[in-house]
Amino acid sequence: MILFLLAVSVIYFLFTLLLWLTWLRIPAVNPPQNGSAGPLVTVIIPVRNEADNIGALLTDLDRQTYRNFEVIVADDSSTDQTGAVVQQHIRQASFPLRLLALSDERTASPKKRAITQSIAIAQGHLILTTDGDCRVGPDWLSAFATFYQKTGLKLISGPVTFTTNQSVFDSLQTVEFSSLIGSGACTMALGWPTMCNGANLCYEKAAFAEVGGFAGVDQLASGDDEFLMHKMAVRYPGEVGFLKSEKAVVRTQPHRSWKAFYNQRKRWASKWRMYQSWAPTVLAVFIFLSNMSPLLAVVGWLLGFLNGTVTLSVVVLKVLPEFLFLRQVLVFLQKKSSVAAIPLTQLFYPVYVVFFGLVAQGKGYRWKGRDLS
C-alpha cells in the first residue's frame, strides 16, 4: 500500500510539474486590433431558453474588431422568448445573423444536432462555437483568425473562465475549471489532446465533414467538443492546438446551485467510457487514482496504518505542483483573485473527483429541462 501511494504521488508530481512547465512555454498570441483580411468565420450558438443571456452575447459580437463573420443561433425548442430576442437583434445587427429554429423531436444529443444542422447552412471556412450564456471580448474573432492564419490548425481550442467570483462557491468553480482548461491546453501542446470546451472551439468546416462530424459519438448527449477533437487529432496528427490569448477568453456564468453543478459534472464525467482514444481514458483513470491516494493516506494515518511522514509526503507531492500550475493558469485567465481559493479547492477536490468518478458509472442526468442519458 505504501509503495503504491508513493508511486502514484511521485508520478502525479512529475506529471503536474510537466504541465506547469509546458504552460509556461506555450506562446501567447496578440491579435491585431482591427481588420477583416482573413477567412470567413461562422459563429454557431446552440441555445435553449437563453432569453436572459443571448442578447448580451449578440451585442458583444456586434462590437468585434474582425468583421468577416456570420452568426447562426440554433434555437433548440426554447419555451421562453429566446427566438424573439434573436429576431430583434436580426433587425439591427451589423453582421449577418440567422435564427435556425430546430424541431422538438426526440434526440440523444440535442446540442450535436444543433451544431450539425447549423454547419449544413454555414458559409464560413471556419466554424466557431460558443454558448448562449457566454460573453466575449471585442478581439475574440480576431484572435482566432490570426492564430489560424499563422498555424493552419484544423481545430483550435480556446480558453474559458467564469464571469464573476462573488462567493466561495464561485471561486471554487473558477479554480476547478481552470485546471481543466490548463490541462487541456498542455496535453495539446504535448501532442496528445485530451480535453477542450465547446464554449470556445474553432475548426475548419471541411475538416468537420472529413471526419464525419459527430457520427459514431452522437448516441451520447455530451461530448460535442472532446469527441470531435479526438477524431480530428487522429485524422490530422499535430494539427490540433490551443489558442493562448487573453483576447480569446470566453466568459460564462458559474452555477448558482449545487444541483446544477452536479448535473453538469455528471454529464461531463459520463463521457470517459466512450473515449476511443487511449490518452483521455488513461488520464481519467490516473487522475482518479491520484486524487484517491491522499484520501487513502489520510485515512490510513488516522487508523494507524501509515506514519505521518508518508502521509505528509503523499499530500505535499500533490498540492505543491498543483498550486504552481493553477496559479499560472488563473493569472492568465485574469482571475488572480481566485488564487487564494486554490488551497480550499485542493482540500475538497480529491473527494469531488472520487465522487463523480463513481457517480458517472450510473446513467442519466437532467440538463436544460430534459432527462438525458
Side-chain angles (χ1 to χ4, degrees):
M1 173 65 78
I2 294 177
L3 290 177
F4 171 78
L5 293 177
L6 289 175
V8 170
S9 299
V10 169
I11 295 172
Y12 183 79
F13 173 86
L14 295 174
F15 173 72
T16 311
L17 201 62
L18 174 63
L19 293 183
W20 176 53
L21 295 173
T22 301
W23 176 265
L24 294 175
R25 295 172 60 183
I26 297 176
V29 176
N30 295 308
Q33 294 300 306
N34 52 62
S36 300
L40 176 62
V41 180
T42 298
V43 179
I44 295 176
I45 312 170
V47 295
R48 177 174 168 81
N49 296 337
E50 294 289 358
D52 294 337
N53 303 307
I54 187 63
L57 174 57
L58 294 176
T59 299
D60 289 345
L61 292 172
D62 229 354
R63 298 168 178 165
Q64 292 298 298
T65 56
Y66 186 83
R67 303 308 304 176
N68 193 20
F69 73 99
E70 64 172 1
V71 177
I72 300 174
V73 178
D75 184 13
D76 186 12
S77 305
S78 293
T79 56
D80 63 3
Q81 295 299 306
T82 297
V85 173
V86 176
Q87 289 288 4
Q88 180 181 357
H89 276 266
I90 288 176
R91 292 191 290 269
Q92 61 192 37
S94 62
F95 56 86
L97 173 61
R98 282 182 282 179
L99 175 64
L100 174 62
L102 303 175
S103 63
D104 196 19
E105 64 179 286
R106 182 76 176 179
T107 177
S109 182
K111 191 172 183 180
K112 293 191 187 81
R113 179 190 64 168
I115 294 173
T116 300
Q117 291 190 16
S118 297
I119 290 177
I121 62 173
Q123 299 297 312
H125 176 73
L126 293 180
I127 303 298
L128 181 52
T129 63
T130 191
D131 295 331
D133 61 349
C134 290
R135 301 298 303 272
V136 300
D139 296 316
W140 179 54
L141 289 173
S142 181
F144 275 95
T146 299
F147 191 58
Y148 174 74
Q149 289 177 288
K150 181 179 179 180
T151 64
L153 293 174
K154 300 297 183 181
L155 181 142
I156 302 170
S157 173
V160 183
T161 190
F162 293 119
T163 51
T164 61
N165 290 330
Q166 297 177 347
S167 66
V168 173
F169 186 36
D170 289 352
S171 294
L172 290 174
Q173 291 182 72
T174 298
V175 174
E176 184 257 353
F177 202 60
S178 72
S179 72
L180 302 179
I181 297 300
S183 298
C186 292
T187 53
M188 286 184 199
L190 291 169
W192 37 286
T194 56
M195 291 179 286
C196 62
N197 194 293
N200 202 9
L201 191 64
C202 179
Y203 41 87
E204 290 183 354
K205 179 181 178 180
F208 179 85
E210 180 67 23
V211 300
F214 299 118
V217 294
D218 50 4
Q219 73 276 23
L220 190 67
S222 187
D224 56 281
D225 40 24
E226 292 182 4
F227 289 137
L228 178 63
M229 178 191 68
H230 297 156
K231 292 177 73 174
M232 289 204 179
V234 171
R235 178 64 180 82
Y236 305 105
E239 297 190 61
V240 170
F242 180 79
L243 172 53
K244 187 179 179 183
S245 172
E246 293 181 358
K247 305 293 187 181
V249 175
V250 163
R251 293 169 177 81
T252 188
Q253 298 176 13
H255 291 293
R256 294 304 176 194
S257 71
W258 285 101
K259 183 178 180 180
F261 178 83
Y262 168 84
N263 277 305
Q264 186 190 59
R265 294 314 191 264
K266 184 180 179 182
R267 180 171 63 96
W268 288 358
S270 68
K271 293 184 292 188
W272 78 270
R273 291 172 297 174
M274 299 298 296
Y275 288 144
Q276 297 178 353
S277 172
W278 63 269
T281 301
V282 170
L283 181 61
V285 174
F286 174 63
I287 295 300
F288 181 84
L289 293 176
S290 299
N291 280 277
M292 182 176 282
S293 294
L295 293 179
L296 292 176
V298 171
V299 171
W301 174 66
L302 292 174
L303 296 177
F305 297 127
L306 294 179
N307 61 49
T309 301
V310 172
T311 302
L312 183 62
S313 298
V314 170
V315 172
V316 170
L317 286 169
K318 182 176 187 301
V319 302
L320 180 59
E322 274 184 354
F323 184 89
L324 295 173
F325 176 56
L326 292 174
R327 181 187 181 280
Q328 207 67 41
V329 178
L330 286 168
V331 169
F332 161 76
L333 293 172
Q334 302 173 49
K335 293 294 180 181
K336 195 172 182 179
S337 60
S338 294
V339 170
I342 294 177
L344 184 60
T345 307
Q346 290 176 309
L347 181 63
F348 288 104
Y349 198 65
V351 178
Y352 157 86
V353 169
V354 173
F355 173 74
F356 280 104
L358 297 175
V359 165
Q361 305 311 307
K363 294 183 178 181
Y365 44 82
R366 189 161 182 81
W367 190 247
K368 297 287 186 180
R370 289 170 168 161
D371 293 317
L372 301 171
S373 60

